[in-house]
Amino acid sequence: MLNHLMTSMPDQLLAAPSELKTDQLANWLRQIFGPLFLVIVSIVAIFFLFTREITRFVQFIVLAIGIGVIFYVPNIIETTAKAIAKALGVNLT
């Protein structure tokens, strides 16, 4: 069945793109996951405060700050992606 589906697709869909366009990918990820991340962090932090688990609250805040840096520091996603691509041997032109 999969073979039939693949053979019925046009060649343009199966061909590899000549150049990847990822300029706006980091901005899109920030717009989608950034606010969602902040909401989840707020809910969990309030839960830890109300249950008086201060040690877990501090651990969670440190982890949340580390993850938040990934979303909100400019160019950290691009720099990390380029480093991973270079390590994998992908030609970046």
Side-chain angles (χ1 to χ4, degrees):
M1 182 174 165
L2 182 62
N3 187 21
H4 176 66
L5 180 66
M6 294 297 286
T7 56
S8 66
M9 290 180 146
D11 291 336
Q12 292 85 5
L13 291 177
L14 299 176
S18 60
E19 184 177 334
L20 296 175
K21 307 281 187 200
T22 58
D23 296 338
Q24 301 299 319
L25 179 61
N27 290 333
W28 181 78
L29 287 173
R30 284 186 190 105
Q31 289 174 357
I32 298 296
F33 293 112
L36 182 64
F37 171 73
L38 290 176
V39 168
I40 293 171
V41 165
S42 300
I43 291 170
V44 174
I46 289 171
F47 171 77
F48 282 142
L49 283 177
F50 281 132
T51 57
R52 296 184 181 171
E53 297 182 27
I54 301 302
T55 305
R56 286 190 183 183
F57 172 74
V58 172
Q59 291 172 348
F60 177 73
I61 291 300
V62 169
L63 180 65
I65 289 172
I67 294 171
V69 164
I70 293 172
F71 282 111
Y72 291 110
V73 171
N75 296 331
I76 197 164
I77 295 175
E78 293 92 341
T79 305
T80 306
K82 286 179 183 177
I84 292 171
K86 188 174 180 182
L88 292 175
V90 177
N91 187 12
L92 301 174
T93 56

